[in-house]
Amino acid sequence: MRCVPIVLSSINLKGGVGKTTIAVNYAAYCGNKGRKVLLCDLDPQANASFGMIGVEGWESHVAKKGTVADLLGARRHKNAQGVARGFNDVVIKNAWNNVDLIPSHLDLFTVDLDLAGITAREFQLKKSLKDHIEDYDIVICDCPPNLTLPTQNALAISTNYTVPVSLDYLSVLGIGLLLSRISSLSEDLDVDLTNSGIIISRVGRPAKHRAETESVVRGEFNGDVLSGKITDRTAISAAMEKAQSIYSSGDQSAIAEFNHIFSELDQNLGIK
């Protein structure tokens, strides 16, 4: 039996900052290193799910099996036998090398309303994974750009979190607020969460305002910001469209950037 694994949430209050890119490619990175990985897609946009198994694969699985919405209890989904679906029903084994996937669903957009009367609703994911989480070396949660119930469920099982940010004003403006809210939520959920790094992502062409913004971020948050950064490349989106990770792209410059970031992340997570 393995020890309780690292559970890492990729989180930001703003969309389009690279949360999903970091989550799925770190899952691939870990899988390629022989770690047993579970990726939980908790964003109702389901981009991580699409990026790993494609839209058609996702549609087929949803129709026959289920999604993380079932594990959270959204609309109290039932299978054909009238029984609520569990972990073994919804998980996709080896979606990528050594990476299992719990896909997301659009129902998460309304999950706060659907579960308004449910007790301990922030702990539904924890309850669903309790008999399976020790089968993994690391669990990675891709969160929506908010602190609603899906994110709360992710944080309730998390040991660590990372904050991808892009070098734009609105993305950077919310970092302090996000860190403060996560601190408050961790107290409410009675979990001990460690910030394992702010990751500068989706970096565009060199420009004065981006350089100034990066300087501000690194100055204000100092050691919390990883030294590497991820350039916004067509290879990243092209790989996702093919349901592949960056490691199948053949873009060695992109792969080197991700490896740099993920080796730093490993160090902060205490993974050797």
Side-chain angles (χ1 to χ4, degrees):
M1 183 69 71
R2 291 191 176 102
C3 296
V4 176
I6 292 167
V7 183
L8 177 72
S9 284
S10 181
I11 183 171
N12 197 312
L13 294 176
K14 187 177 183 299
V17 296
K19 294 188 307 297
T20 297
T21 296
I22 296 298
V24 299
N25 285 294
Y26 185 55
Y29 172 88
C30 290
N32 290 340
K33 287 188 171 293
R35 303 168 193 163
K36 187 60 180 172
V37 185
L38 175 65
L39 191 143
C40 296
D41 185 1
L42 288 149
D43 189 335
Q45 296 179 87
N47 288 332
S49 303
F50 300 155
M52 290 185 66
I53 60 174
V55 175
E56 291 184 2
W58 176 85
E59 290 176 340
S60 175
H61 182 82
V62 168
K64 298 175 183 178
K65 298 290 184 178
T67 69
V68 74
D70 296 284
L71 302 187
L72 297 187
R75 299 185 182 175
R76 286 295 184 243
H77 290 187
K78 301 294 179 66
N79 63 19
Q81 289 73 42
V83 179
R85 292 165 170 146
F87 175 85
N88 287 324
D89 298 305
V90 306
V91 70
I92 301 172
K93 296 287 188 176
N94 286 307
W96 284 352
N97 180 40
N98 288 323
V99 182
D100 296 349
L101 169 68
I102 296 178
S104 189
H105 195 276
L106 293 174
D107 279 350
L108 294 187
F109 275 120
T110 59
V111 71
D112 284 69
L113 294 175
D114 295 338
L115 301 187
I118 302 299
T119 58
R121 59 184 192 158
E122 300 88 354
F123 301 98
Q124 294 301 303
L125 183 62
K126 183 175 183 179
K127 179 179 178 182
S128 296
L129 298 185
K130 68 177 182 178
D131 294 329
H132 308 277
I133 196 166
E134 291 184 357
D135 294 335
Y136 296 94
D137 298 306
I138 185 165
V139 178
I140 301 169
C141 298
D142 185 33
C143 299
N146 53 55
L147 294 174
T148 55
L149 199 55
T151 302
Q152 293 171 31
N153 269 264
L155 294 179
I157 65 168
S158 291
T159 57
N160 302 73
Y161 67 94
T162 186
V163 181
V165 298
S166 58
L167 295 177
D168 63 83
Y169 176 74
L170 292 177
S171 177
V172 170
L173 185 64
I175 296 175
L177 173 62
L178 174 61
L179 297 181
S180 175
R181 291 295 176 86
I182 290 176
S183 178
S184 296
L185 273 173
S186 67
E187 292 183 12
D188 294 340
L189 297 170
D190 194 24
V191 293
D192 186 13
L193 294 173
T194 299
N195 180 359
S196 294
I198 296 169
I199 300 175
I200 295 177
S201 180
R202 303 204 67 177
V203 178
R205 295 178 179 177
K208 181 179 178 181
H209 75 277
R210 291 194 183 98
E212 292 174 346
T213 302
E214 180 176 349
S215 179
V216 169
V217 172
R218 294 193 182 278
E220 183 172 351
F221 299 101
N222 200 11
D224 286 337
V225 185
L226 301 191
S227 67
K229 49 190 175 184
I230 302 296
T231 303
D232 194 12
R233 303 170 184 265
T234 56
I236 297 173
S237 56
M240 294 283 281
E241 288 175 6
K242 297 176 182 176
Q244 296 176 343
S245 77
I246 195 64
Y247 295 101
S248 299
S249 69
D251 188 322
Q252 296 305 312
S253 295
I255 291 170
E257 284 187 347
F258 278 91
N259 282 341
H260 183 120
I261 284 288
F262 294 154
S263 64
E264 285 189 274
L265 189 53
D266 273 359
Q267 185 175 14
N268 287 353
L269 292 170
I271 300 174
K272 297 180 180 179

